[in-house]
Amino acid sequence: MSNSLDNFAARLSTQLHESLDAAPIADVPWVAARPSVGARARGRRRGAWMRAMMLAAAAAVIAVVVVAQPSSRHASPPVTPGRPQALTVLATAAVGGTTPASLAAGGGWVFAGLWDSGQLLRLDPTTLHTTATLQIGTAGSGPLSIAYGNGAVWVLNFDDGRLWRVDPATMTASLKVQLPAQPSQVAVGDGAVWVTVCCTSSDTSTRQRLLRINPETGAITGMRAVAGDGETVPLALGPEVVVTSQNGPILVIDPNTMDVVSALPDVCTGCDETAGLVAGPEGLYVTSLSSVARYDPHSGRLLATSPAMSVVGMPLSVQSDGIWIAAGDRLLRLDPSSLAVTAQAPVAVTGHLVELPHSIYVSFGGAIDRLGSTN
Amino acid sequence: MSDDVAEPPGRDELVAVLYHRHRTELVRLAYGLLGDLDGAEEIVQDAFAALLSRWPSIRDIESAPRYLRAAVVNGVRGRWRRRRVRELADKTLHRDPPATETDLVERSVVLAAVGRLPMRKRACVLLRYYLDLSEIETAAVLGTSVGTVKSQTSKALSQLAGLLEPEPSEVNR
């Protein structure tokens, strides 16, 4: 940052403190502020409290309906179709730092990229014990995004601006590819490594690009400009390569020619940031204002919309058993077709998530959890 | 065991401590992001309600402030998005939007300028220069990369400098 902006930032900080510290904040005692008491005392709609009450009311309605069924006509026990399966924490790894780890799974391991320590960890998928460590960058600037594919772990190193290919057995780097701009996201599929980049250290203007990289040689074999103006450039691999950027269309890319097959405009009208994006056999999944939507990647037709939820955005993942998303303070699994909620777990602030059979791995600041069903 | 061994504080006691330490600061953060003091208080109330209900998944009291800040930012995002939808609907239907408490003219010049930034840039500015969080802490609260925080903050500062100190000789020296 230039000196003039540094000086401006110092003045701005002072002005913000003067303005916000002068705001007339009422002193509400803790007891009165607790949700149940506060909601009644102040007579306002309280988001979390009201949601809990609405859920309780919905449960009561369901109970009434079940009780009202003529029992003699149904010998089988009552069922509650669509009731979400509850998940529990089966193992936890304390990994330090405050930034959620990037996660990848493959080759029988789970891998974690730790931004705060600049390390790549290889973890036992059951116990989450660390079985090997590789220093990728420096503390506070290292593995930005990781992926597993072609028998290797692929790491975007923000510190040196390179893509690293890491042998998962020896945890040593076997290839380093210099990238033309600041890395954003990496994915592996269709016989290539796909990387999105944006900006340089001296230029934060909007020049997002999608790169196709040969996994054996590291040669950049294709490049496609991505419209938009976000520094984070989400990338998703499914039947197609899909990429987008803030305020830009979602581009469906032919992996061979890198031509744009289709473009979905305005899928997140009103969003001020890049949508969460994944691709699966049943379509493209995009986070919108307060839900997840499924689109046909070729026609752009809206196929399904999830129930309303507090969408965080990026922690969205397509897996064999459904679509996973961090929504507010819950981790939800959605049916890939209807987008109905089929499983959930309470989480704090979720960073990244990845799945192996029977387990899903979630990163938080300082920890990684393995979640699963106990039954 | 003797009776004078104090029991460790429970959930309610710890949340009460967090409330006393952070509530005012969080309301001011939400106010800076949203521009609506009543709305800010409600969002912070919701954040503490969520903290209470999700306490078992909070690792320790040290990580709770980050959870609260993230909950406040997400709460503001949700409310701001709903407001954007209403504005778009009003625009489509050629309706005059209702007057709100967020009229920028009623706020200080610096808050009015911050209010003109997109939400993520606004959050970067307030977390970095009001709460004095580091880039790493800001990235953790926003659930984004440090690179994004760097570039969003840099662009936001440039925009704010243009709004607040438009003389080229002063800003671009």
Side-chain angles (χ1 to χ4, degrees):
Chain A
M1 197 187 297
S2 66
N3 283 337
S4 61
L5 274 186
D6 278 339
N7 293 337
F8 172 73
R11 291 194 295 277
L12 176 69
S13 179
T14 303
Q15 291 176 34
L16 285 173
H17 278 281
E18 287 173 356
S19 295
L20 288 172
D21 292 349
I25 313 289
D27 186 15
V28 181
W30 163 240
V31 173
R34 291 182 64 171
S36 56
V37 178
R40 285 196 295 269
R42 299 172 68 184
R44 290 177 177 169
R45 291 188 72 229
R46 304 246 70 94
W49 180 246
M50 286 300 293
R51 281 192 293 276
M53 292 300 290
M54 288 165 68
L55 282 172
V61 170
I62 291 168
V64 169
V65 171
V66 170
V67 170
Q69 296 289 329
S71 57
S72 59
R73 292 169 60 183
H74 298 281
S76 57
V79 294
T80 52
R83 181 181 174 188
Q85 174 192 9
L87 300 175
T88 56
V89 177
L90 302 176
T92 295
V95 294
T98 58
T99 308
S102 304
L103 296 177
W109 289 292
V110 172
F111 300 91
L114 305 182
W115 174 268
D116 294 342
S117 62
Q119 292 176 314
L120 177 71
L121 305 184
R122 189 184 67 197
L123 305 171
D124 180 285
T126 303
T127 64
L128 289 184
H129 291 159
T130 300
T131 58
T133 302
L134 175 64
Q135 192 69 37
I136 296 289
T138 55
S141 179
L144 185 66
S145 172
I146 69 174
Y148 187 93
N150 266 56
V153 189
W154 300 86
V155 184
L156 286 184
N157 184 0
F158 193 83
D159 195 48
D160 66 3
R162 296 181 186 203
L163 170 70
W164 286 33
R165 184 180 68 194
V166 176
D167 183 322
T170 63
M171 284 290 277
T172 55
S174 54
L175 181 69
K176 295 181 183 179
V177 181
Q178 185 65 53
L179 299 170
Q182 180 178 297
S184 180
Q185 201 170 341
V186 61
V188 187
D190 288 316
V193 181
W194 302 85
V195 172
T196 51
V197 296
C198 169
C199 325
T200 64
S201 58
S202 60
D203 175 16
T204 57
S205 65
T206 56
R207 294 193 305 181
Q208 301 85 354
R209 280 166 283 178
L210 169 69
L211 310 177
R212 185 181 61 202
I213 296 172
N214 183 312
E216 303 302 326
T217 66
I220 296 174
T221 58
M223 190 178 296
R224 158 67 55 185
V226 178
D229 56 10
E231 284 73 21
T232 302
V233 191
L235 166 66
L237 292 189
E240 297 88 6
V241 180
V242 187
V243 67
T244 190
S245 181
Q246 183 180 343
N247 300 328
I250 294 178
L251 303 179
V252 180
I253 308 285
D254 183 301
N256 296 313
T257 64
M258 291 196 73
D259 290 337
V260 175
V261 175
S262 61
L264 284 64
D266 299 326
V267 294
C268 196
T269 306
C271 290
D272 76 322
E273 58 198 61
T274 307
L277 178 70
V278 293
E282 299 196 49
L284 293 183
Y285 302 87
V286 185
T287 57
S288 133
L289 288 167
S290 57
S291 61
V292 180
R294 179 166 71 92
Y295 292 90
D296 182 303
H298 300 290
S299 68
R301 192 162 62 91
L302 177 64
L303 300 174
T305 304
S306 76
M309 59 181 69
S310 174
V311 174
V312 173
M314 292 303 292
L316 181 70
S317 173
V318 61
Q319 302 292 345
S320 57
D321 58 351
I323 310 300
W324 289 89
I325 183 168
D329 49 9
R330 288 180 302 160
L331 183 68
L332 302 177
R333 186 181 66 198
L334 309 178
D335 180 274
S337 180
S338 69
L339 296 182
V341 177
T342 57
Q344 60 181 321
V347 296
V349 179
T350 309
H352 298 259
L353 51 95
V354 70
E355 191 184 34
L356 285 174
H358 311 300
S359 295
I360 185 161
Y361 302 84
V362 182
S363 66
F364 307 86
I368 298 168
D369 277 350
R370 178 167 77 91
L371 302 171
S373 174
T374 51
N375 51 20
Chain B
M1 277 293 182
S2 62
D3 292 338
D4 59 355
V5 176
E7 283 191 15
R11 179 197 70 166
D12 286 8
E13 288 79 8
L14 290 173
V15 175
V17 169
L18 290 164
Y19 183 86
H20 286 297
R21 280 187 192 163
H22 297 286
R23 187 233 173 209
T24 302
E25 167 196 276
L26 290 168
V27 172
R28 288 179 172 144
L29 169 66
Y31 175 55
L33 288 167
L34 191 67
D36 171 355
L37 201 48
D38 283 346
E41 290 183 346
E42 289 185 7
I43 285 167
V44 171
Q45 187 111 328
D46 285 350
F48 277 98
L51 182 70
L52 272 174
S53 64
R54 302 298 178 199
W55 186 254
S57 65
I58 305 294
R59 303 286 152 191
D60 53 57
I61 195 169
E62 299 302 322
S63 66
R66 188 179 64 245
Y67 174 84
L68 287 166
R69 288 170 190 142
V72 165
V73 171
N74 286 329
V76 172
R77 277 177 178 165
R79 195 170 286 230
W80 185 82
R81 286 169 172 173
R82 289 193 292 276
R83 185 184 294 171
R84 287 281 300 271
V85 170
R86 279 201 306 273
E87 288 170 356
L88 286 169
D90 289 338
K91 192 175 173 183
T92 304
L93 299 172
H94 307 290
R95 293 191 306 228
D96 291 331
T100 69
E101 297 172 54
T102 63
D103 290 339
L104 298 180
V105 292
E106 295 179 4
R107 309 172 65 197
S108 74
V109 172
V110 67
L111 292 183
V114 170
R116 292 176 64 175
L117 297 173
M119 184 52 73
R120 183 178 286 198
K121 287 179 183 168
R122 206 182 303 177
C124 285
V125 164
L126 289 168
L127 292 170
R128 294 277 292 118
Y129 299 113
Y130 179 63
L131 293 191
D132 299 321
L133 300 188
S134 69
E135 289 173 337
I136 290 174
E137 290 168 328
T138 301
V141 169
L142 297 179
T144 189
S145 71
V146 174
T148 297
V149 170
K150 282 178 189 289
S151 55
Q152 290 279 301
T153 306
S154 176
K155 285 182 176 181
L157 286 179
S158 296
Q159 279 181 256
L160 288 173
L163 290 168
L164 296 170
E165 299 179 357
E167 292 82 6
S169 59
E170 188 177 351
V171 176
N172 300 320
R173 193 164 48 208

